[in-house]
Amino acid sequence: TEGNAYFTMQLLDRMKTSDASDAAGDIINVSSVVELVASKIDQCQPKLRTALIVASYIQFSFNVDVLWAALNALCTHVFESFVAFKPQYSEHKDHGEIQMLEKLLDEAVLNGLLSNTIGSNVYRFSHDRVQQAAQSLIPFREEKNKLKTYLGLCLLEFHRSQERKERQQLLSPEGKGGKPLTSKHDDGTVVSVPKQRGASYLFIAMDHLNSVPSKDHLHQAKMNVEGAEHASTLGALTLSIKYSRIAAEQISKIRRDPWVAQYDLALRLFRVWADVELALGNFEEGYRLCQQLFEKARSVDDELPTTLAHVRALERQDEKVAYLSTAVEAAQQISIYPKRGMLWTAVTEMIMLKSYFKRHTNEEILKLPLITNPRQVLSMKLIDKIAQGGLITEDATHILLAPIKVIRSTLQHGICKYSAFAFAFFGLLSVTQ
């Protein structure tokens, strides 16, 4: 066993549970702990053996519902050369079948292959060698690729269905009210619904599908762009770059120019890629991607998210003048900031706002709706950046005009988080006068 404590324990367990002659033969034929555990898994009943193999390709710890969905998807496609994948689970989710699967997994817990907390539907392999042993029971690359393909597609769909459910829950009256979401079981038991944020199987699905050769370059590109965006929202920036590069490689294999044939996809890719590169401080590569997007974008609105990323990068590099001028130019291009007469505009609009506040109470202003239009939110964010740039460069015109523009936009379109600073600044300015 070469000092491997886990190997030694497995050998002793095999000797304890087997006949002396069988145990002696096993010890002679087994050369590694993976082989020993694999032989133990191979002796399990077929359904449990299948479940453990599929689970090993999902994750070290896995959810019963996810495993059930994966088994159902895999059993729909019969693996002729691999007996374990014959259909054994029905196509429709049933609480009784989930319980049957849990009983199988509990048997694996008793055999020391899995571990589980009582009352939890999450199981994990008792040791990483158990997971490796289960994976080794599919010896041929062709069968592994087939498994990874179907499993990857299944996990991808599972992730998307969870995303849809979460959006529906957030849009429900309970979700909007901030109350804990609940669900009722068939037996009448009411339980809280856990949030799915961060608990995504998207990355596992992508790793499987990216490891298998595919001629569907468009599907691979779309999947990796989705993964890059999801990784970016979770703060996994290095992973986001990885998927962005794979997407770029796949999209380059499409014969037609992707900016013509798949404009929306190319726009999403370069947005997230440039944003993440700049966030990581890879400014040269980030600016190159920004420039490519600016050259290909069909409208200024399409450029706006990347322009904001560009502005943030200039701010981090302490390029004060370039930061402010870039933000002002972008705001002028989308017609939310004047190109001339800025000081005059600031004074006249300030007089108009004072008149407005005299005619309206605080309660009326607080009843303004929240902004739901993403374009308006980005516009407000851009003007807020101008206000910050004015403070950094001590430019009185922008210090005065930008918050006033945010307030005007708030009164016209609704409230967002950038409204607070503008109202506070305007109140301070009114008091000091």
Side-chain angles (χ1 to χ4, degrees), residues 233-433:
T233 59
L234 295 176
L237 303 185
T238 304
L239 196 60
S240 180
I241 287 181
K242 170 189 171 183
Y243 293 136
S244 296
R245 289 173 178 169
I246 295 174
E249 181 183 353
Q250 292 296 326
I251 208 171
S252 67
K253 295 178 181 179
I254 301 174
R255 292 185 178 181
R256 293 183 62 190
D257 181 1
W259 284 102
V260 177
Q262 298 293 331
Y263 175 78
D264 290 338
L265 181 63
L267 184 65
R268 287 172 57 199
L269 169 60
F270 278 83
R271 270 182 185 171
V272 66
W273 195 1
D275 193 9
V276 173
E277 291 283 8
L278 291 173
L280 284 173
N282 303 327
F283 298 115
E284 185 176 347
E285 178 67 8
Y287 291 146
R288 183 188 69 80
L289 294 168
C290 287
Q291 189 59 39
Q292 191 168 347
L293 186 147
F294 294 151
E295 291 173 357
K296 300 289 186 178
R298 294 176 180 174
S299 68
V300 178
D301 284 351
D302 288 345
E303 297 178 11
L304 187 54
T306 306
T307 300
L308 281 166
H310 188 193
V311 169
R312 287 196 302 270
L314 290 171
E315 182 182 12
R316 289 177 60 196
Q317 288 185 290
D318 204 26
E319 297 285 347
K320 299 176 183 178
V321 176
Y323 156 54
L324 180 58
S325 62
T326 302
V328 170
E329 183 180 348
Q332 291 171 343
Q333 286 180 343
I334 57 177
S335 303
I336 60 173
Y337 210 73
K339 293 183 178 180
R340 58 182 66 88
M342 294 183 187
L343 187 59
W344 172 254
T345 302
V347 173
T348 55
E349 291 197 0
M350 187 172 180
I351 295 171
M352 293 172 60
L353 285 177
K354 283 188 174 182
S355 175
Y356 177 89
F357 288 135
K358 286 180 181 178
R359 291 180 284 107
H360 294 82
T361 64
N362 291 341
E363 288 73 19
E364 290 175 324
I365 295 173
L366 290 172
K367 288 181 181 178
L368 290 171
L370 294 175
I371 294 181
T372 55
N373 186 332
R375 196 263 190 189
Q376 293 297 337
V377 175
L378 290 175
S379 299
M380 298 270 271
K381 186 174 182 179
L382 184 59
I383 300 177
D384 183 70
K385 286 293 181 184
I386 294 175
Q388 293 178 29
L391 289 170
I392 293 171
T393 58
E394 299 181 355
D395 189 319
T397 301
H398 294 302
I399 293 175
L400 180 63
L401 179 58
I404 290 174
K405 281 295 182 181
V406 171
I407 295 175
R408 289 294 303 271
S409 185
T410 298
L411 298 177
Q412 183 177 358
H413 302 290
I415 297 173
C416 72
K417 66 179 182 180
Y418 306 106
S419 306
F421 169 78
F423 278 111
F425 177 82
F426 187 85
L428 180 64
L429 190 64
S430 299
V431 169
T432 54
Q433 283 184 338

Side-chain angles (χ1 to χ4, degrees), residues 169 181 192-197:
Q169 289 169 355
L181 302 173
S192 62
V193 178
K195 290 184 178 181
Q196 299 296 333
R197 293 175 185 173

Side-chain angles (χ1 to χ4, degrees), residues 33-66:
V33 63
V34 172
E35 288 184 25
L36 181 60
V37 178
S39 66
K40 184 176 180 178
I41 296 173
D42 213 23
Q43 292 176 1
C44 295
Q45 58 170 301
K47 284 187 177 182
L48 178 55
R49 180 179 183 273
T50 301
L52 290 172
I53 292 173
V54 175
S56 71
Y57 280 89
I58 295 177
Q59 210 173 12
F60 183 78
S61 60
F62 54 91
N63 185 292
V64 173
D65 291 339
V66 178

Side-chain angles (χ1 to χ4, degrees), residues 62-81:
F62 54 91
N63 185 292
V64 173
D65 291 339
V66 178
L67 178 58
W68 184 91
L71 287 167
N72 180 55
L74 290 168
C75 292
T76 303
H77 308 277
V78 182
F79 285 65
E80 296 293 345
S81 58

